[in-house]
């Protein structure tokens, strides 16, 4: 099977996606003659100008992101025989819903979100689930149409609420750009002999340890959590965790980590415990073959519930 890389560009209408794709396809460093399938799932005021491309092996298809099927996408591959795919996604649709329809040989090579600085906060206030959907999966977010000297902290906080690893680029109206350089000190000491996680910091720590498990490899952590049992590891393992809300009530989910503990079967599901454990970065079926944090319990003691059962970033 020959994999086809997909370059996905997300964001809301009039956020600058079309302009960026147009300029990218005009650049011979990117468009060196590869057969490119340009999928447009959202049509705005700007249009693509194929006459400016250094090579003409670009084929555009306009599709409905909600109704398109895997069969439709596979047919386009047979029709155009692309070496790569550039996709402009519809901002009002969930990114993951489209990815689920991708043929198995399609591999997302890069996902970039574009955000109009004059409107993104309004979108976040009214449609936070759609904003977080795009920020969570993107490798980079571009906040454009900023005035020079404008306070970037609100945009920094918005991006960091979704991911600590996403690159943040500010695009100013005078034509200059700058990468975000604001430091985000963690509210806990990762170099302490025991990394102690306060109740209010669990969501932030969970994201940090799952995004960068190697950073915690060999460290000892202590935190309060609720007990969840693992279906495939009922004896000798459980999953301490907390309910986390990223943006709204609808997206609350239990976020736990696999923990080796010889008396796991004696623990009561949903009960509160204080866990002290050693962290190792290794594969586990919960991570679907990838490396993630796996705990080895040092002590597991009954604890009073956290003041807030659901934690947030």
């Amino acid at each position: 099977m020959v994999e086809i890389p997909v370059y996905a560009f997300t964001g809301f209408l009039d956020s600058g996606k079309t302009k960026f794709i147009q300029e990218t396809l005009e650049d011979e460093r990117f468009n060196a003659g590869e057969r490119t399938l340009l999928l447009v799932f959202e049509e705005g005021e700007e249009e693509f100008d194929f006459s400016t491309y250094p090579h003409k092996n670009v084929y555009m298809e306009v599709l409905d992101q909600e109704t398109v099927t895997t069969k439709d996408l596979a047919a386009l591959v047979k029709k155009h025989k692309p070496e790569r795919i550039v996709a402009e996604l519809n901002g009002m649709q969930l990114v993951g819903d489209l990815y689920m329809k991708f043929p198995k040989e399609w591999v997302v090579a890069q996902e970039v979100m574009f955000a109009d600085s004059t409107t993104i906060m309004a979108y976040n206030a009214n449609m936070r689930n759609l904003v977080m959907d795009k920020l969570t999966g993107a490798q980079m977010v571009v906040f454009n149409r900023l005035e020079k000297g404008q306070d970037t902290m609100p945009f920094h906080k918005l991006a960091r609420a979704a991911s600590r690893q996403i690159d943040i680029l500010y695009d100013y109206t005078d034509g200059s750009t700058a990468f975000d350089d604001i430091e985000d000190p963690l509210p806990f000491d990762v170099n302490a002999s025991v990394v102690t996680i306060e109740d209010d910091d669990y969501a932030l720590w969970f994201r940090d340890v799952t995004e960068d498990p190697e950073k915690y490899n060999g460290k000892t952590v202590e935190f309060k959590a609720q007990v969840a049992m693992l279906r495939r590891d009922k004896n000798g393992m459980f999953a301490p965790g907390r309910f986390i809300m990223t943006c709204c009530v609808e997206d609350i989910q239990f976020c736990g980590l696999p923990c080796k503990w010889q008396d796991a079967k004696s623990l009561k599901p949903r009960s509160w415990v204080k866990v002290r454990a050693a962290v190792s970065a290794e594969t586990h079926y919960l991570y679907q073959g990838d490396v993630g944090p796996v705990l080895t319990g040092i002590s597991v003691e009954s604890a009073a519930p956290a003041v807030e059962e659901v934690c947030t970033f």
Side-chain angles (χ1 to χ4, degrees), residues 80-148:
H80 298 293
K81 299 177 174 57
E83 298 173 75
R84 63 184 177 187
I85 295 165
V86 175
E88 180 178 5
L89 275 59
N90 188 318
M92 301 306 292
Q93 302 291 329
L94 295 174
V95 175
D97 289 350
L98 177 63
Y99 287 173
M100 291 292 289
K101 301 176 184 178
F102 279 4
K104 60 182 178 180
E105 69 269 21
W106 290 26
V107 178
V108 179
Q110 186 178 36
E111 182 182 323
V112 179
M113 177 185 178
F114 288 83
D116 182 344
S117 64
T118 66
T119 59
I120 189 61
M121 290 307 179
Y123 276 112
N124 186 55
N126 295 291
M127 292 178 285
R128 185 170 171 79
N129 63 320
L130 289 175
V131 175
M132 288 293 116
D133 168 67
K134 288 144 189 62
L135 284 171
T136 300
Q139 286 78 50
M140 182 170 71
V141 57
V142 180
F143 292 105
N144 52 36
R145 297 166 189 157
L146 285 102
E147 297 295 333
K148 203 66 176 179

Side-chain angles (χ1 to χ4, degrees), residues 209-222:
V209 73
T210 52
E211 287 183 349
D212 191 4
E214 295 290 349
K215 181 167 69 176
Y216 292 86
N217 193 38
K219 296 184 180 294
T220 299
V221 297
E222 186 173 273

Side-chain angles (χ1 to χ4, degrees), residues 142-159:
V142 180
F143 292 105
N144 52 36
R145 297 166 189 157
L146 285 102
E147 297 295 333
K148 203 66 176 179
Q150 184 175 342
D151 181 16
T152 59
M153 182 58 78
F155 307 111
H156 170 90
K157 289 182 177 180
L158 175 61

Side-chain angles (χ1 to χ4, degrees), residues 184-208:
D184 287 301
L186 292 167
F188 41 83
D189 184 2
V190 297
N191 295 313
S193 57
V194 176
V195 183
T196 303
I197 312 303
E198 299 296 334
D199 292 352
D200 291 342
D201 299 327
Y202 180 84
L204 184 60
W205 173 71
F206 179 83
R207 185 176 63 192
D208 197 51

